[in-house]
């Protein structure tokens, strides 16, 4: 990889690039899908290629190719430089990169058991056991379970002298039971919706999830939901946690604090943000117990890394501190436009994609109250966990979420479940209504493997560490109240 | 682009290397060049190219699959071996669904050399024209202009060989003024020569001009005039949520048990047809079955949904409709060449006929609230206008909708005679529509 990278960089300089970086990535991916106690599919992918990014007279060009012969590398570099020169024809703001030391080094994500060495029979056996348990619930019509594993070696090098090799191993798994009766379709997932929990981890994660121990409960709740009352409509206090709070942080803070949105770089697709530069340091985003950080150093989080795709070492950045908006997620080219240091959030989906400002691990700091105390101190509310549906406007203000179920809370006690809960809000009003955050006892880092952004669209694996949080007077039950 | 001869050579190597009773090899991929611009400057300009070989085997009654983007003979053999290894490790029997018949198929000429060879300079020059037009009004242009090609080549040891290529060109544009009042327009086609970048710029700029007079409008039920780009969002969910036999069998599709029943207004007809000139496509599906036209909803009546070989086996009297996807087909068969039949109206008439309503350019972040009813939510975006007494009187803030999709399509008052083409949900050809009493439940703060 290093020889190919050096060749590409030397050619880039020769052809007129002021700066160039190269990513060569080798990736193996395995996924197992079971449905209704049968094997729906076993996926085994291998991919290898190079992406070269050049900066010529202040404009970026990028070309990617899977063929790393010297001739093809030469073609890719020439194309990247030609593309950069073509960009200059339109004029406009020239790209400047923040000053960064060129790093050399290696990084590996933490893992104990290499999932690619675990026999397929063992993996299928674990999932099949879950399928058998879920299928015992008569009202469950479809059972689904899956695992997937990613192994990636990435070499990054730049004309500034950076030379970094990173190895990542990621694992994930989940189960779901679907119950259908008439016009009712109800799903319960474990440990999270959309195929489960994902981390930078080996097969030890799969074993720790206790999928089979929770399969019966998962199926039972799906069945119960068929006859459960519809979530009421009105203003309620809500307690959200697990993958739902992770997604709330993701949509209303993670994306909202991506600096490229401020400059309209996603205006045509993913949107902009209400967190404009004039708000930095003086805008109340949430109540004063809300603290949100971007942290690529929590190594086990799905979005963690050693160095971003600008070659910047993983960093921890305050985004919201004591409720005030204090920081952005940025890259070298975006940070320079506001005179800040980069937060180290330049990430590309794969070798054939250009780095964009992406989340790593965006975490809500735990509070000082236990989850049990939070429930006990709630007079009238709903607990909302696994996400089922999500939507937010192009400024990251108006959002609406749907969950798999809600637990009603009355006078500090859980009194029953409701189906099809939804809630809606406006981001800063919502976060300012946060009056309690659960402590570290219930804090966990949840993987979100399917964050989409960019044109062409790139899917990124990110994570969010959250416990539970309570929000006062939230509008609940939208969509069903016609 | 990988030629048919080259693709066939790689696929034949894979078939020859396989000891399995049944082997299907797919070679797919292409090149994409995309010029992206924001605030009147090109900020991302990329070229990517990748192909992959997927080998699926049915070996001793079990299915295995492997893919790789390496095509040297040793790598092809390794990919085949991996697929066979996976098959051997399966613990339960499984079947590889692929047609036993070797059918001749029509070649569909959708490949344009000039499109995929369009230089970055030529793309930049078109972007410059757009940017200059926006800058001339004091506005900022952001958008994406892409050209791409895609090859699908399939071979099965039954003797089937299929090869199809096509090019695409796509321009999306958002223009904003200094207050971030925005207008959006787009154009998609199979050849770059058809892309009217000046027309797209004019439409987006005109919307910003129209946006200057601001009005406040809160949530409620309003008649809406939906541009084609907005109709696409609703149509996509109708197709994804209803039209797969797999979802029908699992009970999650609104089509389940409703064939022959009226499910939308009588003026609504949805057809999947890869042979239609408006939504042309590959003549064979991924299971080697010829693709045929399929009327999904006819004058409001549910008529059919898509089958592949596997779902057809589960339904007495059913046959594959030529909508099979490659293994593992997690979401089942799906129609990808859909058109909504036109009416006799147009956008101007729809506006004139509206006493008080909302003109929607397009929707944003639509998602499913309930898959069976179905209920969809999303936001308006980039050109949302108030109509009063038959005229657009100015812009309003963006609103959130929550709508029961079939009910909405039952309240279509007018459908335009003109239709636009989109690379969405595969390919979609849709008209503009006026729908009565569309439900908006909230909005961005300046809309309250």
């Amino acid at each position: 990889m290093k020889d190919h990278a050096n060749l590409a960089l030397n050619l880039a300089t020769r052809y007129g690039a002021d700066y160039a970086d190269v990513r060569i990535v080798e990736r193996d991916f395995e996924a197992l899908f079971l449905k209704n106690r049968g094997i729906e599919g076993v996926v085994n992918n291998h991919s290898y290629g190079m992406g070269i990014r050049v900066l010529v007279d202040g404009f970026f060009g990028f070309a990617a190719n899977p063929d790393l012969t010297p001739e093809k590398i030469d073609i890719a570099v020439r194309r990247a430089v030609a593309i950069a020169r073509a960009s200059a024809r339109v004029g406009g703001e020239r790209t400047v990169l923040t000053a960064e030391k060129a790093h050399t080094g290696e990084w590996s994500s933490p893992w104990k058991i290499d999932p690619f060495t675990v026999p397929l029979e063992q993996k299928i056996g674990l999932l099949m056991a879950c399928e058998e348990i879920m299928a015992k619930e008569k009202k469950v019509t479809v059972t689904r379970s899956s695992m997937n594993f990613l192994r990636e070696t990435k070499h990054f090098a730049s004309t500034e002298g950076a030379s970094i090799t990173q190895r990542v191993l990621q694992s994930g798994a989940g189960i779901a039971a679907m119950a259908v009766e008439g016009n009712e379709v109800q799903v319960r997932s474990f440990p999270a919706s959309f195929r489960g929990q994902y981390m930078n981890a080996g097969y030890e994660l799969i074993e720790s999830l206790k999928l089979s121990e929770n399969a019966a409960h998962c199926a039972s709740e799906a069945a119960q939901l068929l006859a459960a009352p519809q979530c009421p409509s009105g203003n309620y206090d809500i307690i959200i946690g697990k993958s739902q709070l992770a997604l709330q942080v993701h949509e209303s803070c993670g994306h909202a604090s991506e600096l490229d949105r401020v400059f309209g770089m996603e205006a045509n697709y993913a949107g902009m943000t209400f967190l404009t530069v004039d708000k930095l340091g003086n805008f109340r985003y949430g109540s004063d117990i809300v603290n949100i950080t971007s942290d690529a150093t929590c190594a086990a989080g799905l979005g963690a890394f050693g160095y971003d795709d600008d070659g910047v070492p993983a960093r921890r950045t305050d985004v919201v501190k004591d409720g005030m908006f204090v920081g952005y997620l940025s890259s070298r080219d975006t940070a320079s436009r506001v005179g800040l240091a980069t937060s180290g959030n330049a990430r590309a989906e794969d070798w054939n994609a250009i780095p964009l400002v992406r989340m790593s691990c965006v975490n809500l700091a735990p509070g000082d109250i236990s989850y049990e105390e939070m429930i006990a101190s709630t007079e009238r509310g709903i607990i909302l966990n696994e996400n089922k549906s999500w939507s937010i406007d192009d400024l990251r203000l108006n959002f609406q979420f749907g969950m798999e179920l809600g637990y009603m809370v009355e006078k500090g006690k859980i009194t029953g479940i409701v189906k099809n809960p939804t809630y809606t809000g406006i981001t800063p009003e919502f976060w300012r209504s946060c009056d309690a955050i659960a402590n570290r006892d219930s804090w966990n880092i949840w993987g979100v493997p399917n964050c989409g952004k960019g044109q062409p669209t790139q899917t990124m694996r990110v994570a969010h560490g959250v416990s539970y949080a309570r929000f006062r007077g939230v509008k609940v039950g939208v969509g069903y109240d016609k | 682009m990988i030629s048919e001869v080259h693709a066939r050579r790689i696929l034949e190597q894979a078939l020859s290397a396989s000891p399995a009773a049944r082997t299907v090899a797919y070679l797919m991929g292409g090149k994409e060049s995309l010029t992206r611009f924001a605030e009147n400057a090109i900020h991302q300009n990329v070229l990517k190219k990748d192909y992959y070989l997927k080998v699926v085997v049915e070996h001793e009654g079990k299915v295995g699959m492997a893919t790789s983007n390496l095509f040297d003979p040793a790598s092809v053999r390794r990919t085949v071996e991996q697929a066979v290894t996976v098959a051997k490790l399966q613990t339960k029997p499984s079947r590889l669904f692929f047609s036993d018949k070797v059918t001749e198929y029509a070649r569909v000429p959708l490949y344009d050399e000039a499109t995929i060879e369009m230089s970055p300079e030529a793309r930049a020059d078109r972007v410059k024209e757009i940017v200059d037009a926006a800058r001339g009004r004091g506005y900022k242009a952001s958008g994406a202009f892409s050209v791409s090609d895609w090859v699908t080549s399939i071979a099965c040891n039954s003797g089937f060989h299929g090869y199809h290529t096509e090019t695409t060109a796509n321009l999306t544009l958002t223009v904003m003024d200094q207050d971030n009042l925005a207008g959006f327009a787009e154009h998609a086609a199979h050849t770059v020569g058809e892309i009217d970048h000046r027309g797209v710029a004019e439409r987006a700029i005109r919307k910003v001009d129209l946006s200057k007079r601001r009005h406040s409008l809160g949530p409620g039920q309003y008649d809406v005039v939906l541009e084609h780009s907005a109709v696409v969002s609703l149509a996509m969910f109708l197709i994804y949520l209803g039209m797969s036999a797999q979802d029908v069998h699992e009970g999650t599709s609104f089509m389940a048990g409703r064939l022959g029943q009226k499910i939308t207004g009588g003026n609504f007809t949805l057809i999947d047809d890869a042979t239609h000139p408006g939504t042309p496509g590959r003549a064979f599906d991924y299971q080697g079955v010829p693709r045929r036209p399929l009327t999904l909803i006819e004058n409001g009546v549910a008529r059919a949904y898509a089958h592949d070989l596997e779902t057809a086996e589960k339904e007495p009297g059913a046959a594959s409709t030529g909508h099979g996807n490659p293994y593992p087909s997690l979401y089942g068969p799906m129609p990808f060449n859909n058109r909504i039949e036109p009416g006799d109206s147009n956008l101007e008439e729809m506006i004139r006929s509206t006493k008080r309503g909302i003109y929607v350019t397009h929707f944003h972040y639509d998602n499913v609230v309930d898959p069976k009813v179905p209920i969809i939510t999303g936001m308006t975006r980039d050109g949302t206008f108030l109509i009063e007494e038959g005229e657009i009187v100015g812009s309003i803030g963006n609103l959130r909708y929550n709508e029961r999709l079939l009910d909405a399509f039952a309240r279509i008052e007018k459908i335009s005679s003109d239709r636009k083409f989109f690379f969405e949900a595969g390919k979609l050809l849709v008209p503009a529509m006026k729908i009565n009493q569309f439900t908006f439940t909230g909005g961005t703060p300046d809309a309250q």
Side-chain angles (χ1 to χ4, degrees), chain B residues 151-342:
Chain B
V151 62
T152 302
S153 188
I154 307 175
C156 177
N157 62 344
S158 62
F160 177 87
H161 278 278
Y163 181 82
H164 173 79
T165 58
E166 52 183 78
T167 48
T168 71
N170 214 358
L171 171 64
T172 55
L173 174 66
T174 305
V175 174
M176 291 180 164
D177 72 0
Q178 298 309 316
D179 298 318
N180 288 340
L181 296 175
F184 174 84
E186 61 184 321
H187 193 177
H190 278 291
T191 71
V192 74
E194 296 171 77
I195 299 294
D196 177 13
H197 62 286
R198 294 189 189 100
V200 168
E202 277 169 25
R203 289 201 302 279
I205 287 170
R206 193 174 336 120
K207 286 190 181 140
V208 181
D209 293 342
L210 279 173
S211 294
K212 302 295 187 184
R213 280 168 49 199
R214 297 282 288 163
H215 295 264
S216 190
L217 190 70
Q221 289 185 306
Y222 301 95
D223 290 352
V224 290
V225 174
L226 302 179
E227 269 196 15
H228 313 72
S229 298
V231 174
V232 156
S233 293
L234 304 183
M236 275 170 51
F237 282 98
L238 194 71
I239 294 161
Y240 282 142
L241 294 176
M243 302 305 171
S244 170
Q246 177 173 285
D247 293 335
V248 172
H249 295 166
E250 291 178 1
T252 60
S253 161
F254 57 79
M255 297 282 272
R258 300 183 78 178
L259 289 186
Q261 293 179 20
K262 197 133 185 264
I263 60 170
T264 68
N267 51 2
F268 185 83
T269 295
L270 176 69
I271 300 171
D272 175 84
D273 186 358
T275 68
H276 188 273
T279 53
R282 198 178 359 97
F284 49 89
D285 76 0
Y286 291 102
Q287 295 178 336
V289 175
R291 302 177 76 193
R292 289 183 291 273
L294 187 68
T295 299
L296 302 164
I297 300 174
E298 184 176 35
N299 300 326
V301 176
R303 288 289 182 219
Y305 37 81
H307 271 291
D308 60 20
L309 291 170
E310 184 173 3
T311 59
E313 264 191 17
K314 294 176 183 170
E315 192 174 305
S320 171
T321 54
H323 291 91
N325 283 313
Y327 173 93
S329 181
L330 301 179
Y331 302 104
M334 192 62 67
F336 282 127
N337 296 74
N338 297 284
R339 69 180 193 270
I340 297 174
E341 292 293 64

Side-chain angles (χ1 to χ4, degrees), chain A residues 35 39 42 44-46 48 62 64 79 87 89 182 251 266-269 389-391 393 398 400 480, chain B residues 36 39 44-45 47 67 69 82 90 125 172 174 250 327 365 367-368 370 372 381 400 402 443-444:
Chain A
K35 186 169 90 169
I39 296 168
V42 179
N44 224 291
N45 290 349
H46 177 85
Y48 188 81
F62 177 85
R79 280 183 173 155
S87 299
R89 290 158 89 99
E251 297 290 357
E266 287 290 328
N268 191 51
Y269 181 60
S389 159
W390 67 104
S391 171
D393 74 14
N398 180 302
Q400 178 175 315
Y480 285 90
Chain B
R36 202 171 185 212
E39 299 193 338
Q44 287 159 12
N45 207 348
L47 165 70
T67 69
N69 70 338
Q82 203 160 24
Q90 298 265 24
D125 288 345
T172 55
T174 305
E250 291 178 1
Y327 173 93
Y365 225 140
N367 212 332
V368 180
D370 187 305
K372 186 71 184 279
R381 187 180 169 180
R400 171 171 294 286
N402 274 276
T444 49

